[in-house]
Amino acid sequence: NSNIILSQKVGHQMKKKRTKGRIINISSQNSKDIETGLSNGSKIIAHNSIEKYAKLLARELLDSAVYVDVVF
């Protein structure tokens, strides 16, 4: 997913250059669906992976004052 790759590269550059700031990812409420009758299964997985990766990246960059958020 290009969103994950871009967030990772930007986050690590911000950490390397000691730039404080935020990385904001955009997701959808569809990531919370558990039935494919309501949403396309691949979209559910894609949006869920964005949210999960954002949490991992946020923990990794927390000490660098780079904050990672997800908005819906």
Side-chain angles (χ1 to χ4, degrees), residues 36-71:
T36 56
L38 301 173
S39 297
N40 183 327
S42 60
K43 285 185 180 182
I44 294 170
I45 292 170
H47 287 285
N48 194 284
S49 66
I50 290 169
E51 293 174 34
K52 294 294 183 185
Y53 184 74
K55 287 180 182 180
L56 291 171
L57 190 61
R59 287 188 187 130
E60 185 178 329
L61 298 175
L62 184 62
D63 293 338
S64 305
V66 176
Y67 302 101
V68 183
D69 296 317
V70 178
V71 295

Side-chain angles (χ1 to χ4, degrees), residues 4-60:
I4 291 173
I5 294 169
L6 184 61
S7 294
Q8 183 180 34
K9 290 188 180 288
V10 169
H12 289 293
Q13 281 296 319
M14 290 174 76
K15 182 177 180 178
K16 182 178 174 182
K17 294 181 179 186
R18 298 180 184 192
T19 304
K20 298 177 183 178
R22 293 185 183 274
I23 298 171
I24 300 173
N25 294 287
I26 300 172
S27 187
S28 169
Q29 288 290 62
N30 293 348
S31 66
K32 307 297 182 211
D33 291 341
I34 57 172
E35 293 187 28
T36 56
L38 301 173
S39 297
N40 183 327
S42 60
K43 285 185 180 182
I44 294 170
I45 292 170
H47 287 285
N48 194 284
S49 66
I50 290 169
E51 293 174 34
K52 294 294 183 185
Y53 184 74
K55 287 180 182 180
L56 291 171
L57 190 61
R59 287 188 187 130
E60 185 178 329

